[in-house]
Amino acid sequence: MQYAIIFFTSFALFFSFSARSEDKIEGQEEAVLTDAPEVPAPISRKHPTKVIVHLETKEVRKRMADGVDYTFWTFGGSVPGKFIRVREGDLVEFHLQNHPSSKMPHNIDLHAVTGPGGGAASSFTAPGHSSTFSFKTLNPGLYVYHCATAPVGMHIGNGMYGLILVEPKDGLPKVDREYYVMQGEFYTKGKNGEPGLQPFSMEKALKEQPDYVVFNGAVGAMTGDKALKAKVGEKIRLYVGNGGPNLVSSFHLIGEIFDKVYIDGGTKSINENVQTTLVPAGGSTIVDFKVDVPGTFIIVDHSIFRTFNKGSLGMLKVEGPEDKSLYSGKISDEVYLPEGSTIQTVDDVAPPKSVAKSKAERLTHGKRIYENNCMACHQAGGTGLAGAFPPLAKSDYLNADKKRAIQIVTGGKSGEITVNGVKFNGVMPAQQLSAEDVANVLTYVYSLGGNAGFEVTPADVKSERSKLKK
Ligand SMILES: [Cu+2]
């Protein structure tokens, strides 16, 4: 009996001790905060800790689009605000510092907080002041934070939002790269593209008619040199947020499929094989996907006018070897002419601008057509560009066969060719020119230094074109 009691108490002790050590806050650390598209490194810690966050609100003039500036209100100096990464069970000691140059008081409502206002009331901070409050991260997930100072819509509409990730105790599955992407829309006095410093338009915000819908705070924030990068075979994770203030995003990656979507940024409901996922205003999602083929993949809000007319377009550049068994690229382009239909010739669609009455006129018209249609690739004077575009001046290939030249201009050309002993292997697109224009441009090309000086007539072009269609 006595043994049994001793055994039972030690058993209970053991349990309460181990439970406590799991949840006990050990030590403290300063949070590493990052600007989009970077994400702080995953947490390797196996225990909760006290995490100290210093976040500064600042009103800054920055680029919205080329030639267009905006006074953004920010968490940390840019839109979206700094990415915060903590672990489930951590105690976050939050210091909100409002820069002395601010014109407005600001605060923060973190959707990860269990407590009134998500911290808003406790963090209301006048310019040149700093507020402190703390909270325990009870629920894992990806959460939006934003300013909640009146007028709330205006503070959010000026860019005051960001993401905080509360990693589950056991972490998230490992991936090769993680990025931070956050959508938001802006309402400006001037219409899209109107240059200068644009003020906020309350009228358009009320009507929910933004001039700009962007990822990471500006048109082109994730394009060209600033595109997200990856290598073939890697697993990518995007932490996606939507600051709104009004629009819901139809988040989509052209040419990829999300292998996993953590719906609404939660940790329980994971959907698989998703094309487009909704990200509500003030909400988030986490998407995982493996990149299998190289290329530039376009990140969009599939409410598509926003993408091509208002700015919500980003890029993911994937480098690595092609895999033609997964994606072939264009294999062929042939004439498609169902029985009974008539051919609409280029002459119907694009009639010649002017008809030449002599070879001399052909040459003047031809030069103009050359400058508008060919020079970008074949260069002024037809010199070509080493490694890319074959020369047209003094070209043995051109002079060898007039009919072939007509076919190339009207039908395009791909595959390897040798010009003056040098190999080229590019793609020349078929030129949408009338027979008259093709005749003029080729007559001009044949007149370039070192060439045969042939005259090409519209009749020659029509005859070659009819062969092309068979
Ligand atoms: Cu604010």
Side-chain angles (χ1 to χ4, degrees), residues 73 105-107 147 149 155 160:
W73 297 357
H106 299 293
N107 65 5
C147 185
T149 302
H155 284 251
M160 297 200 80

Side-chain angles (χ1 to χ4, degrees), residues 35 96 121 171 187 309 356 393:
D35 284 318
L96 191 73
Y187 303 84
N309 301 76

Side-chain angles (χ1 to χ4, degrees), residues 21-22 26 43-48 87 169-171:
S21 78
E22 257 245 322
E26 286 174 37
I43 292 170
S44 52
R45 221 171 354 99
K46 293 281 171 267
H47 61 87
R87 181 181 179 272
K169 282 184 179 147
D170 299 325

Side-chain angles (χ1 to χ4, degrees), residues 113-139:
V113 168
T114 305
S122 324
S123 61
F124 184 83
T125 310
H129 285 250
S130 169
S131 306
T132 307
F133 67 103
S134 70
F135 63 93
K136 194 148 189 217
T137 51
L138 300 180
N139 303 69

Side-chain angles (χ1 to χ4, degrees), residues 211-238:
D211 302 280
Y212 297 91
V213 183
V214 299
F215 293 125
N216 291 351
V219 176
M222 287 195 298
T223 63
D225 293 347
K226 287 179 265 166
L228 308 184
K229 291 181 183 64
K231 296 211 170 74
V232 165
E234 285 181 333
K235 276 194 186 155
I236 314 297
R237 174 171 299 145
L238 303 181

